[in-house]
Amino acid sequence: MLNWADELIQEYTVGRQDLKRRADQVDRDNPVEMQDLKQINSMIESMSFSLEWMTTGRQPGTYRGVDEKAVYQRRSYENIDLIPDIEMQLREESDINKKHLFMTREEKVIMADILASFSLRERQCYILHVAQGMSWSKIADELGVSKSMVQQSINRARKKIKSRIDAA
C-alpha cells in the first residue's frame, strides 16, 4: 500500500514523462512553439528537482548537510548565552537596584521560541539593537543593508513578540 508521498512521487514521475513527450512533439521551426518549449523544459526541470528532493529526502545540490543550517541555529537557542547579561550594565547605572536578574526555564523556552520564529535578518537586527544597543544606521553599516531594512526587520520582530505576548 502506497502512502501519500509515494503517490506524489508517482504523479510527478508520470507528469514529467508526459511533459517530455510533449517536448518531443514541438515543431522546432515555429517560434510560438519554441516559446512553449522553454516553458515545458522549465517545468520538466522543476519536476526533476522536486522528484530528487522527494526521493532522497535532501535538497538537490547541497553537500555536507548545508541544507540543515537552520537546525544548528535553532539548537543554539537552547542555551540562551547569546543574549548578553545586562545585570552588570544595570549595576553600573544604578547601585540602588540590587535585584538579581534571571530567567526561569519556562521564560528561556518562550524566548527561544520567539527568537526561532524570527528570520535571520530580524534576529540579527533585533539583537544588535536591543541587546547591544546599536543604532539603526550602525546596524545597517555592520550588516551591509539599508537603514530602512533594519527598521523594518526590528518592527517585524517586535510585532512577533507582541503577538506571542498577546497569545499568552
Side-chain angles (χ1 to χ4, degrees):
M1 183 171 161
L2 298 176
N3 63 19
W4 65 269
D6 294 328
E7 290 176 2
L8 188 61
I9 290 171
Q10 282 183 347
E11 289 175 18
Y12 269 64
T13 303
V14 170
R16 185 176 61 175
Q17 290 170 348
D18 290 342
L19 285 171
K20 285 181 179 179
R21 278 194 290 276
R22 176 65 181 113
D24 292 338
Q25 297 170 356
V26 169
D27 180 13
R28 307 220 188 271
D29 296 329
N30 185 343
V32 175
E33 286 196 25
M34 286 304 291
Q35 289 293 343
D36 291 343
L37 181 62
K38 288 180 182 179
Q39 290 291 329
I40 292 170
N41 285 336
S42 175
M43 291 188 301
I44 291 171
E45 185 178 333
S46 295
M47 291 183 93
S48 297
F49 182 87
S50 299
L51 274 168
E52 184 177 344
W53 199 329
M54 286 186 277
T55 55
T56 63
R58 296 186 59 89
Q59 181 178 347
T62 57
Y63 304 99
R64 298 185 183 186
V66 172
D67 56 333
E68 297 181 15
K69 177 179 152 192
V71 171
Y72 303 116
Q73 290 171 344
R74 283 191 295 269
R75 286 183 191 154
S76 70
Y77 296 127
E78 293 171 4
N79 184 357
I80 301 295
D81 292 338
L82 68 106
I83 304 298
D85 187 7
I86 61 170
E87 184 177 9
M88 291 299 285
Q89 294 173 3
L90 290 175
R91 200 176 296 153
E92 291 172 5
E93 292 176 10
S94 170
D95 286 334
I96 298 170
N97 187 1
K98 300 284 186 184
K99 181 181 176 184
H100 177 69
L101 300 176
F102 68 94
M103 292 176 68
T104 65
R105 174 154 172 63
E106 182 179 312
E107 291 170 333
K108 287 181 182 181
V109 169
I110 291 170
M111 180 177 279
D113 184 44
I114 290 171
L115 289 173
S117 72
F118 291 174
S119 70
L120 175 61
R121 179 72 67 215
E122 291 168 350
R123 193 168 37 251
Q124 289 172 328
C125 293
Y126 187 80
I127 290 174
L128 288 173
H129 180 67
V130 174
Q132 302 295 329
M134 292 175 69
S135 68
W136 291 348
S137 57
K138 192 170 181 183
I139 294 169
D141 292 340
E142 182 80 21
L143 299 178
V145 297
S146 68
K147 186 178 169 183
S148 63
M149 171 63 80
V150 172
Q151 182 180 5
Q152 289 173 358
S153 299
I154 292 171
N155 288 338
R156 279 194 306 266
R158 286 181 175 155
K159 285 180 184 176
K160 289 179 182 181
I161 292 170
K162 184 177 180 342
S163 68
R164 173 60 194 239
I165 291 171
D166 291 343

